[in-house]
Amino acid sequence: MRAASAKPGGLRKVLGPVDLVLMGIGAIVGTGIFVLTGSGATTAGPALALSFVVAAFACGFAALCYAEFASILPVAGGIYTYSYAILGEIIAWMIGWDLILEYGLVTSAVSVGWSGYFQSLISGFGLHIPVALSAAPGALPGVTTFFNLPAFVIMMVLTVMLSLGVRESARINNIMVVIKIAVVLLFIFVGVRHVTPANWHPFMPYGGTGVMSAAALVFFAFIGFDAVTTAAEEVKQPKRDLPIGIIGSLAVCTVLYVVVSLIMTGIVPFTQFKGIDHPVSLALQFAGENWVAGFVDVGAILGMSTVILVMAFGQTRVLYAMSRDGLLPKQLSALNGKGTPIVATWLVGIVFGLLGALVPLQVLGELANIGTLAAFCLVSVAVIVLRKQRPDLKPAFRCPGVPVIPALAILFCGALMVFLSAVTWIAFIIWLLIGLVVYFTYARHHSALNKAH
């Protein structure tokens, strides 16, 4: 099997299974549960809970494929590295290029959601960001805005945190994850007392189409578990711990999403969530639990901070792996004294911080979704190819039911891609075409693999 990178590259093995599960939860629980549940409720009604289940199945089938690869190839770069080993350099390049879009736009999109909750929180103290600096151009109908300052600032703060090193970043992430999960559980325990079952009727007001459309939207809520695999080279026992981190974090988050969406739509009639970007706290305000709503705002801010932190971490490790293979400039794999790819870290922070400040949330979210769904389809294909090409391999974790499980992953992810807009598809295809141009004009000629031959 062809190795993507011959040398370990100096990254430190400091992460355990608890770190990985919390890292996965940190990447997953954020904008999806605190922001997109409102839009999902207006699209599917109370059946939003089913939409989360559909999206979870798509991610779950793909997660089993990810876990097998992660247990075989414990090196930095996640799906990019796996694809390099199994499908060859050009396919790996395109997947890596796709991951740059996915991870980067997720950080940008979540920074916009973070900004909304932050502005909501400080408004309770009579403080306000100047309107011109409160959102991206065109984000607020009828209002002139130029730059989302809070979104950019949080990206810069978290970039500084990432530059301190993975061990330090993981500790900070673990603390914030525990706090935000406590806040979600608080919402569940307080909110369940205010549920009115009549609000769940009709349960599927827009039928199966509404459920699938909402699933394509709230799929964004599950993006993140795959970021765990990018840390493989920094895990103490990757063959055992990576599958635990991937599947464990996905399972925990699925249960939380279903329960929260049922309670939300049980408290507030689903039609009242239209245009609301703080649906969880709205449900508590509707129930008269304003003091808990304040805690939810804080939890949302912390929750989205961890998503940005983990997804930016994953982005830098993909750039690091691609640079180490010669496909991107070597400066992107340069490490500082803390073992952090410092140039890649700041490049990600600045570029995607500016995108979050200048591009509206809906555009960022849909592009991130299509990039992720495409990546999940490709890794599912790769596991089938792996079984055919290397039946002798004995991974610590084997995806059950191959080729049925990978085929189901492709089916579910492909079905969700169908429900994304034509504009999103066009933008995605243009991004991939740009990637091909970069590969044939730069990456192919600087590839460490080609030089070795």
Side-chain angles (χ1 to χ4, degrees):
M1 181 163 53
R2 181 182 298 165
S5 301
K7 298 179 181 179
L11 296 176
R12 300 175 182 179
K13 292 184 176 294
V14 295
L15 302 176
V18 175
D19 292 318
L20 293 176
V21 171
L22 291 176
M23 180 181 286
I25 295 172
I28 298 170
V29 178
T31 300
I33 196 168
F34 292 117
V35 178
L36 291 179
T37 42
S39 299
T42 60
T43 303
L48 173 62
L50 295 180
S51 301
F52 276 121
V53 172
V54 171
F57 269 108
C59 291
F61 292 136
L64 293 171
C65 299
Y66 265 93
E68 176 164 334
F69 276 110
S71 70
I72 296 172
L73 297 171
V75 292
I79 185 178
Y80 158 76
T81 301
Y82 312 154
S83 303
Y84 204 126
I86 305 302
L87 302 177
E89 183 177 273
I90 186 169
I91 299 299
W93 163 264
M94 294 307 295
I95 289 175
W97 190 252
D98 181 21
L99 290 179
I100 292 172
L101 182 74
E102 174 199 340
Y103 290 161
L105 291 181
V106 168
T107 61
S108 299
V110 176
S111 73
V112 177
W114 187 97
S115 173
Y117 265 91
F118 176 76
Q119 293 183 60
S120 173
L121 182 66
I122 65 173
S123 67
F125 298 95
L127 302 174
H128 301 278
I129 302 293
V131 174
L133 300 177
S134 66
L140 302 176
V143 180
T144 302
T145 52
F146 298 103
F147 192 83
N148 194 326
L149 182 61
F152 184 75
V153 169
I154 189 59
M155 285 290 290
M156 294 301 96
V157 170
L158 294 176
T159 299
V160 171
M161 288 173 58
L162 281 172
S163 68
L164 297 177
V166 64
R167 177 69 270 173
E168 292 76 8
S169 297
R171 286 173 181 159
I172 296 169
N173 175 73
N174 292 353
I175 293 170
M176 290 195 291
V177 168
V178 169
I179 293 172
K180 75 176 176 181
I181 294 302
V183 168
V184 172
L185 293 176
L186 178 64
F187 167 79
I188 292 172
F189 290 133
V190 173
V192 72
R193 296 178 298 170
H194 298 279
V195 168
T196 302
N199 288 332
W200 290 331
H201 302 287
F203 189 70
M204 295 177 61
Y206 307 114
T209 300
V211 171
M212 290 300 295
S213 296
L217 174 68
V218 301
F219 175 81
F220 186 91
F222 287 97
I223 295 176
F225 76 85
D226 54 314
V228 172
T229 66
T230 66
E233 206 166 306
E234 293 152 279
V235 178
K236 296 174 185 176
Q237 299 184 56
K239 289 189 176 183
R240 182 199 69 181
D241 295 347
L242 279 170
I244 293 174
I246 295 168
I247 298 171
S249 59
L250 185 62
V252 170
C253 293
T254 301
V255 172
L256 290 176
Y257 284 174
V258 169
V259 174
V260 167
S261 62
L262 285 172
I263 291 175
M264 269 179 45
T265 54
I267 297 174
V268 182
F270 69 89
T271 54
Q272 296 189 30
F273 285 111
K274 187 172 184 179
I276 298 297
D277 60 1
H278 55 286
V280 176
S281 59
L282 172 71
L284 291 169
Q285 291 165 6
F286 193 90
E289 301 282 2
N290 292 321
W291 68 275
V292 184
F295 278 108
V296 167
D297 284 343
V298 173
I301 289 171
L302 289 175
M304 286 184 269
S305 297
T306 62
V307 176
I308 298 170
L309 187 71
V310 176
M311 298 305 286
F313 170 88
Q315 171 77 295
T316 61
R317 269 46 182 183
V318 171
L319 292 175
Y320 170 84
M322 295 176 75
S323 169
R324 194 170 61 179
D325 291 334
L327 302 180
L328 290 174
K330 62 182 180 180
Q331 291 85 351
L332 295 177
S333 55
L335 302 177
N336 65 4
K338 292 282 189 177
T340 300
I342 193 67
V343 176
T345 297
W346 278 100
L347 179 66
V348 167
I350 293 171
V351 170
F352 291 101
L354 289 172
L355 277 176
L358 296 170
V359 180
L361 176 61
Q362 184 176 351
V363 176
L364 294 169
E366 286 211 1
L367 281 170
N369 276 0
I370 196 169
T372 307
L373 288 163
F376 287 0
C377 288
L378 287 169
V379 79
S380 301
V381 170
V383 81
I384 297 174
V385 174
L386 174 67
R387 292 291 184 88
K388 293 290 186 182
Q389 290 186 350
R390 293 298 305 272
D392 57 304
L393 285 177
K394 304 295 181 183
F397 177 87
R398 287 177 67 85
C399 174
V402 175
V404 175
I405 293 298
L408 286 172
I410 296 167
L411 177 64
F412 271 78
C413 292
L416 293 180
M417 291 174 77
V418 169
F419 284 88
L420 294 172
S421 70
V423 173
T424 299
W425 273 97
I426 293 169
F428 180 59
I429 292 170
I430 291 173
W431 175 255
L432 294 182
L433 291 175
I434 293 172
L436 282 174
V437 172
V438 175
Y439 177 77
F440 285 108
T441 58
Y442 177 87
R444 185 166 176 263
H445 302 291
H446 292 82
S447 166
L449 182 65
N450 287 337
K451 287 182 179 179
H453 288 75

